[in-house]
Amino acid sequence: MSGFHYWAVGNLTGNLNRGLFAEWLVGTALGVIKDGDTRDEWDAFDLQYGDLKVEVKASGLSHPYNPHRRSTPRFDIARRKWTWDAEINTWRPLDPPRRQADVYVFCLHKVMPVTSKNVQDRDCWVFWVVPTRKLDNELGEQKSLGELTLDSLTTRVEWSEIRSSVQTAL
């Protein structure tokens, strides 16, 4: 299946694949992704770290369609009205709408221009760890945020600090 893997996700510069890679980076930092694991695409949150539900959001300063023009990174934090319930194999409403994870890890690829090689380099990323209750209390109904807001909520961390930051965030 390596031919398919390369064809499907060999180019990590696009938003979708870069986001998947960021999720994998956070999962490996937390020690919750092991060799042979596969991703559950429709879960209400991205990773399970002990009892904690972790949502991973990714963005970058550069995009493959215009790699030398700096973009303005934004991260989606909208409250959800629906959730997928894998146990009963259906969508169910959330009333009131809410953010379903306990903690968010925001991942910014900070190198320009973006290449598959530098996406794979965890030193080319910066991370913020924010408890959901802080997003709820300080940002309420806000649907997205950027670097300045993240910097006002918490301190940037490196990949090696993600696990301890998640543990202390709660």
Side-chain angles (χ1 to χ4, degrees), residues 86-107:
E87 288 183 27
I88 60 173
N89 196 31
T90 192
W91 288 95
R92 62 180 174 82
L94 293 173
D95 189 20
R98 64 182 175 270
R99 298 176 179 109
Q100 297 178 77
D102 300 306
V103 64
Y104 279 65
V105 179
F106 298 94
C107 312

PDB file of all heavy atoms in Angstrom, residues 86-107:
ATOM      1  N   ALA A  86     -20.406   7.207  16.942  1.00  0.00           N
ATOM      2  CA  ALA A  86     -19.944   5.974  16.298  1.00  0.00           C
ATOM      3  C   ALA A  86     -20.638   4.742  16.864  1.00  0.00           C
ATOM      4  O   ALA A  86     -20.850   3.763  16.152  1.00  0.00           O
ATOM      5  CB  ALA A  86     -18.436   5.842  16.444  1.00  0.00           C
ATOM      6  N   GLU A  87     -21.008   4.779  18.152  1.00  0.00           N
ATOM      7  CA  GLU A  87     -21.652   3.620  18.768  1.00  0.00           C
ATOM      8  C   GLU A  87     -22.988   3.280  18.116  1.00  0.00           C
ATOM      9  O   GLU A  87     -23.338   2.117  17.984  1.00  0.00           O
ATOM     10  CB  GLU A  87     -21.849   3.860  20.265  1.00  0.00           C
ATOM     11  CG  GLU A  87     -20.554   3.812  21.041  1.00  0.00           C
ATOM     12  CD  GLU A  87     -20.778   3.983  22.539  1.00  0.00           C
ATOM     13  OE1 GLU A  87     -21.861   3.640  23.034  1.00  0.00           O
ATOM     14  OE2 GLU A  87     -19.840   4.468  23.194  1.00  0.00           O
ATOM     15  N   ILE A  88     -23.736   4.296  17.720  1.00  0.00           N
ATOM     16  CA  ILE A  88     -25.030   4.041  17.075  1.00  0.00           C
ATOM     17  C   ILE A  88     -25.004   4.391  15.587  1.00  0.00           C
ATOM     18  O   ILE A  88     -26.024   4.346  14.919  1.00  0.00           O
ATOM     19  CB  ILE A  88     -26.186   4.774  17.799  1.00  0.00           C
ATOM     20  CG1 ILE A  88     -25.969   6.289  17.805  1.00  0.00           C
ATOM     21  CG2 ILE A  88     -26.361   4.237  19.203  1.00  0.00           C
ATOM     22  CD1 ILE A  88     -27.141   7.076  18.356  1.00  0.00           C
ATOM     23  N   ASN A  89     -23.805   4.765  15.087  1.00  0.00           N
ATOM     24  CA  ASN A  89     -23.581   4.995  13.666  1.00  0.00           C
ATOM     25  C   ASN A  89     -24.528   6.053  13.090  1.00  0.00           C
ATOM     26  O   ASN A  89     -25.158   5.840  12.051  1.00  0.00           O
ATOM     27  CB  ASN A  89     -23.711   3.674  12.895  1.00  0.00           C
ATOM     28  CG  ASN A  89     -23.113   3.764  11.513  1.00  0.00           C
ATOM     29  OD1 ASN A  89     -22.163   4.494  11.282  1.00  0.00           O
ATOM     30  ND2 ASN A  89     -23.691   3.014  10.584  1.00  0.00           N
ATOM     31  N   THR A  90     -24.590   7.190  13.772  1.00  0.00           N
ATOM     32  CA  THR A  90     -25.472   8.255  13.294  1.00  0.00           C
ATOM     33  C   THR A  90     -25.024   9.614  13.832  1.00  0.00           C
ATOM     34  O   THR A  90     -24.246   9.690  14.779  1.00  0.00           O
ATOM     35  CB  THR A  90     -26.936   7.984  13.705  1.00  0.00           C
ATOM     36  OG1 THR A  90     -27.788   8.879  13.003  1.00  0.00           O
ATOM     37  CG2 THR A  90     -27.137   8.141  15.202  1.00  0.00           C
ATOM     38  N   TRP A  91     -25.536  10.657  13.212  1.00  0.00           N
ATOM     39  CA  TRP A  91     -25.332  12.005  13.704  1.00  0.00           C
ATOM     40  C   TRP A  91     -26.393  12.297  14.747  1.00  0.00           C
ATOM     41  O   TRP A  91     -27.524  11.862  14.618  1.00  0.00           O
ATOM     42  CB  TRP A  91     -25.474  13.024  12.557  1.00  0.00           C
ATOM     43  CG  TRP A  91     -24.329  12.986  11.603  1.00  0.00           C
ATOM     44  CD1 TRP A  91     -24.261  12.291  10.439  1.00  0.00           C
ATOM     45  CD2 TRP A  91     -23.091  13.667  11.737  1.00  0.00           C
ATOM     46  NE1 TRP A  91     -23.052  12.496   9.832  1.00  0.00           N
ATOM     47  CE2 TRP A  91     -22.309  13.340  10.611  1.00  0.00           C
ATOM     48  CE3 TRP A  91     -22.548  14.518  12.698  1.00  0.00           C
ATOM     49  CZ2 TRP A  91     -21.037  13.836  10.411  1.00  0.00           C
ATOM     50  CZ3 TRP A  91     -21.279  15.020  12.498  1.00  0.00           C
ATOM     51  CH2 TRP A  91     -20.540  14.678  11.371  1.00  0.00           C
ATOM     52  N   ARG A  92     -26.025  13.048  15.772  1.00  0.00           N
ATOM     53  CA  ARG A  92     -27.013  13.484  16.752  1.00  0.00           C
ATOM     54  C   ARG A  92     -26.789  14.955  17.065  1.00  0.00           C
ATOM     55  O   ARG A  92     -25.660  15.448  17.021  1.00  0.00           O
ATOM     56  CB  ARG A  92     -26.995  12.618  18.012  1.00  0.00           C
ATOM     57  CG  ARG A  92     -25.747  12.612  18.798  1.00  0.00           C
ATOM     58  CD  ARG A  92     -25.873  11.695  20.043  1.00  0.00           C
ATOM     59  NE  ARG A  92     -24.618  11.599  20.703  1.00  0.00           N
ATOM     60  CZ  ARG A  92     -24.140  12.513  21.559  1.00  0.00           C
ATOM     61  NH1 ARG A  92     -24.844  13.576  21.867  1.00  0.00           N
ATOM     62  NH2 ARG A  92     -22.950  12.362  22.112  1.00  0.00           N
ATOM     63  N   PRO A  93     -27.882  15.662  17.358  1.00  0.00           N
ATOM     64  CA  PRO A  93     -27.755  17.106  17.606  1.00  0.00           C
ATOM     65  C   PRO A  93     -27.123  17.392  18.967  1.00  0.00           C
ATOM     66  O   PRO A  93     -27.246  16.598  19.906  1.00  0.00           O
ATOM     67  CB  PRO A  93     -29.208  17.598  17.568  1.00  0.00           C
ATOM     68  CG  PRO A  93     -30.023  16.400  17.901  1.00  0.00           C
ATOM     69  CD  PRO A  93     -29.264  15.204  17.405  1.00  0.00           C
ATOM     70  N   LEU A  94     -26.456  18.539  19.037  1.00  0.00           N
ATOM     71  CA  LEU A  94     -25.920  19.039  20.300  1.00  0.00           C
ATOM     72  C   LEU A  94     -26.726  20.289  20.657  1.00  0.00           C
ATOM     73  O   LEU A  94     -26.708  21.275  19.929  1.00  0.00           O
ATOM     74  CB  LEU A  94     -24.440  19.404  20.162  1.00  0.00           C
ATOM     75  CG  LEU A  94     -23.481  18.258  19.909  1.00  0.00           C
ATOM     76  CD1 LEU A  94     -22.078  18.787  19.621  1.00  0.00           C
ATOM     77  CD2 LEU A  94     -23.452  17.310  21.088  1.00  0.00           C
ATOM     78  N   ASP A  95     -27.432  20.216  21.749  1.00  0.00           N
ATOM     79  CA  ASP A  95     -28.253  21.346  22.166  1.00  0.00           C
ATOM     80  C   ASP A  95     -28.006  21.616  23.633  1.00  0.00           C
ATOM     81  O   ASP A  95     -28.421  20.818  24.473  1.00  0.00           O
ATOM     82  CB  ASP A  95     -29.732  21.053  21.912  1.00  0.00           C
ATOM     83  CG  ASP A  95     -30.607  22.275  22.121  1.00  0.00           C
ATOM     84  OD1 ASP A  95     -30.067  23.395  22.091  1.00  0.00           O
ATOM     85  OD2 ASP A  95     -31.825  22.100  22.309  1.00  0.00           O
ATOM     86  N   PRO A  96     -27.272  22.672  23.961  1.00  0.00           N
ATOM     87  CA  PRO A  96     -26.809  23.734  23.067  1.00  0.00           C
ATOM     88  C   PRO A  96     -25.551  23.315  22.309  1.00  0.00           C
ATOM     89  O   PRO A  96     -24.847  22.390  22.718  1.00  0.00           O
ATOM     90  CB  PRO A  96     -26.503  24.879  24.038  1.00  0.00           C
ATOM     91  CG  PRO A  96     -26.088  24.195  25.298  1.00  0.00           C
ATOM     92  CD  PRO A  96     -26.935  22.953  25.374  1.00  0.00           C
ATOM     93  N   PRO A  97     -25.254  24.019  21.208  1.00  0.00           N
ATOM     94  CA  PRO A  97     -24.006  23.749  20.480  1.00  0.00           C
ATOM     95  C   PRO A  97     -22.805  23.922  21.406  1.00  0.00           C
ATOM     96  O   PRO A  97     -22.834  24.743  22.322  1.00  0.00           O
ATOM     97  CB  PRO A  97     -24.009  24.822  19.385  1.00  0.00           C
ATOM     98  CG  PRO A  97     -25.444  25.167  19.209  1.00  0.00           C
ATOM     99  CD  PRO A  97     -26.052  25.059  20.580  1.00  0.00           C
ATOM    100  N   ARG A  98     -21.762  23.128  21.175  1.00  0.00           N
ATOM    101  CA  ARG A  98     -20.589  23.216  22.048  1.00  0.00           C
ATOM    102  C   ARG A  98     -19.330  22.724  21.339  1.00  0.00           C
ATOM    103  O   ARG A  98     -19.388  22.065  20.312  1.00  0.00           O
ATOM    104  CB  ARG A  98     -20.817  22.439  23.332  1.00  0.00           C
ATOM    105  CG  ARG A  98     -20.988  20.952  23.163  1.00  0.00           C
ATOM    106  CD  ARG A  98     -21.260  20.283  24.513  1.00  0.00           C
ATOM    107  NE  ARG A  98     -21.550  18.888  24.383  1.00  0.00           N
ATOM    108  CZ  ARG A  98     -22.753  18.365  24.208  1.00  0.00           C
ATOM    109  NH1 ARG A  98     -23.794  19.154  24.128  1.00  0.00           N
ATOM    110  NH2 ARG A  98     -22.916  17.078  24.105  1.00  0.00           N
ATOM    111  N   ARG A  99     -18.213  23.050  21.960  1.00  0.00           N
ATOM    112  CA  ARG A  99     -16.916  22.512  21.556  1.00  0.00           C
ATOM    113  C   ARG A  99     -16.769  21.201  22.321  1.00  0.00           C
ATOM    114  O   ARG A  99     -16.903  21.175  23.536  1.00  0.00           O
ATOM    115  CB  ARG A  99     -15.809  23.493  21.901  1.00  0.00           C
ATOM    116  CG  ARG A  99     -15.960  24.814  21.170  1.00  0.00           C
ATOM    117  CD  ARG A  99     -14.914  25.844  21.590  1.00  0.00           C
ATOM    118  NE  ARG A  99     -15.110  27.071  20.833  1.00  0.00           N
ATOM    119  CZ  ARG A  99     -15.581  28.209  21.336  1.00  0.00           C
ATOM    120  NH1 ARG A  99     -15.874  28.301  22.629  1.00  0.00           N
ATOM    121  NH2 ARG A  99     -15.755  29.261  20.571  1.00  0.00           N
ATOM    122  N   GLN A 100     -16.473  20.113  21.627  1.00  0.00           N
ATOM    123  CA  GLN A 100     -16.563  18.794  22.240  1.00  0.00           C
ATOM    124  C   GLN A 100     -15.286  18.276  22.875  1.00  0.00           C
ATOM    125  O   GLN A 100     -15.316  17.304  23.617  1.00  0.00           O
ATOM    126  CB  GLN A 100     -17.065  17.796  21.198  1.00  0.00           C
ATOM    127  CG  GLN A 100     -18.464  18.147  20.730  1.00  0.00           C
ATOM    128  CD  GLN A 100     -18.932  17.212  19.676  1.00  0.00           C
ATOM    129  OE1 GLN A 100     -19.310  16.091  19.968  1.00  0.00           O
ATOM    130  NE2 GLN A 100     -18.891  17.655  18.427  1.00  0.00           N
ATOM    131  N   ALA A 101     -14.160  18.901  22.598  1.00  0.00           N
ATOM    132  CA  ALA A 101     -12.890  18.454  23.189  1.00  0.00           C
ATOM    133  C   ALA A 101     -12.683  19.136  24.534  1.00  0.00           C
ATOM    134  O   ALA A 101     -13.333  20.131  24.862  1.00  0.00           O
ATOM    135  CB  ALA A 101     -11.735  18.782  22.248  1.00  0.00           C
ATOM    136  N   ASP A 102     -11.758  18.598  25.316  1.00  0.00           N
ATOM    137  CA  ASP A 102     -11.364  19.205  26.589  1.00  0.00           C
ATOM    138  C   ASP A 102     -10.246  20.216  26.410  1.00  0.00           C
ATOM    139  O   ASP A 102     -10.113  21.152  27.191  1.00  0.00           O
ATOM    140  CB  ASP A 102     -10.893  18.120  27.574  1.00  0.00           C
ATOM    141  CG  ASP A 102     -11.979  17.112  27.868  1.00  0.00           C
ATOM    142  OD1 ASP A 102     -13.084  17.528  28.270  1.00  0.00           O
ATOM    143  OD2 ASP A 102     -11.720  15.901  27.676  1.00  0.00           O
ATOM    144  N   VAL A 103      -9.447  19.987  25.395  1.00  0.00           N
ATOM    145  CA  VAL A 103      -8.288  20.852  25.138  1.00  0.00           C
ATOM    146  C   VAL A 103      -8.048  20.913  23.629  1.00  0.00           C
ATOM    147  O   VAL A 103      -8.316  19.950  22.911  1.00  0.00           O
ATOM    148  CB  VAL A 103      -7.033  20.329  25.896  1.00  0.00           C
ATOM    149  CG1 VAL A 103      -6.604  18.967  25.399  1.00  0.00           C
ATOM    150  CG2 VAL A 103      -5.883  21.313  25.831  1.00  0.00           C
ATOM    151  N   TYR A 104      -7.585  22.071  23.178  1.00  0.00           N
ATOM    152  CA  TYR A 104      -7.228  22.279  21.783  1.00  0.00           C
ATOM    153  C   TYR A 104      -5.716  22.430  21.688  1.00  0.00           C
ATOM    154  O   TYR A 104      -5.106  23.111  22.518  1.00  0.00           O
ATOM    155  CB  TYR A 104      -7.861  23.562  21.238  1.00  0.00           C
ATOM    156  CG  TYR A 104      -9.304  23.429  20.817  1.00  0.00           C
ATOM    157  CD1 TYR A 104     -10.299  23.154  21.740  1.00  0.00           C
ATOM    158  CD2 TYR A 104      -9.662  23.603  19.486  1.00  0.00           C
ATOM    159  CE1 TYR A 104     -11.627  23.049  21.352  1.00  0.00           C
ATOM    160  CE2 TYR A 104     -10.983  23.504  19.089  1.00  0.00           C
ATOM    161  CZ  TYR A 104     -11.968  23.225  20.026  1.00  0.00           C
ATOM    162  OH  TYR A 104     -13.271  23.118  19.630  1.00  0.00           O
ATOM    163  N   VAL A 105      -5.139  21.824  20.653  1.00  0.00           N
ATOM    164  CA  VAL A 105      -3.735  22.057  20.322  1.00  0.00           C
ATOM    165  C   VAL A 105      -3.726  22.686  18.930  1.00  0.00           C
ATOM    166  O   VAL A 105      -4.155  22.076  17.958  1.00  0.00           O
ATOM    167  CB  VAL A 105      -2.896  20.761  20.343  1.00  0.00           C
ATOM    168  CG1 VAL A 105      -1.445  21.061  19.968  1.00  0.00           C
ATOM    169  CG2 VAL A 105      -2.980  20.078  21.704  1.00  0.00           C
ATOM    170  N   PHE A 106      -3.273  23.933  18.878  1.00  0.00           N
ATOM    171  CA  PHE A 106      -3.189  24.679  17.633  1.00  0.00           C
ATOM    172  C   PHE A 106      -1.769  24.546  17.099  1.00  0.00           C
ATOM    173  O   PHE A 106      -0.803  24.744  17.842  1.00  0.00           O
ATOM    174  CB  PHE A 106      -3.541  26.149  17.864  1.00  0.00           C
ATOM    175  CG  PHE A 106      -4.948  26.339  18.364  1.00  0.00           C
ATOM    176  CD1 PHE A 106      -5.206  26.421  19.722  1.00  0.00           C
ATOM    177  CD2 PHE A 106      -6.011  26.414  17.467  1.00  0.00           C
ATOM    178  CE1 PHE A 106      -6.498  26.584  20.193  1.00  0.00           C
ATOM    179  CE2 PHE A 106      -7.306  26.576  17.928  1.00  0.00           C
ATOM    180  CZ  PHE A 106      -7.556  26.661  19.293  1.00  0.00           C
ATOM    181  N   CYS A 107      -1.645  24.221  15.808  1.00  0.00           N
ATOM    182  CA  CYS A 107      -0.356  23.926  15.184  1.00  0.00           C
ATOM    183  C   CYS A 107      -0.159  24.862  13.998  1.00  0.00           C
ATOM    184  O   CYS A 107      -0.975  24.885  13.082  1.00  0.00           O
ATOM    185  CB  CYS A 107      -0.338  22.496  14.667  1.00  0.00           C
ATOM    186  SG  CYS A 107      -0.927  21.244  15.834  1.00  0.00           S
TER     187      CYS A 107
END
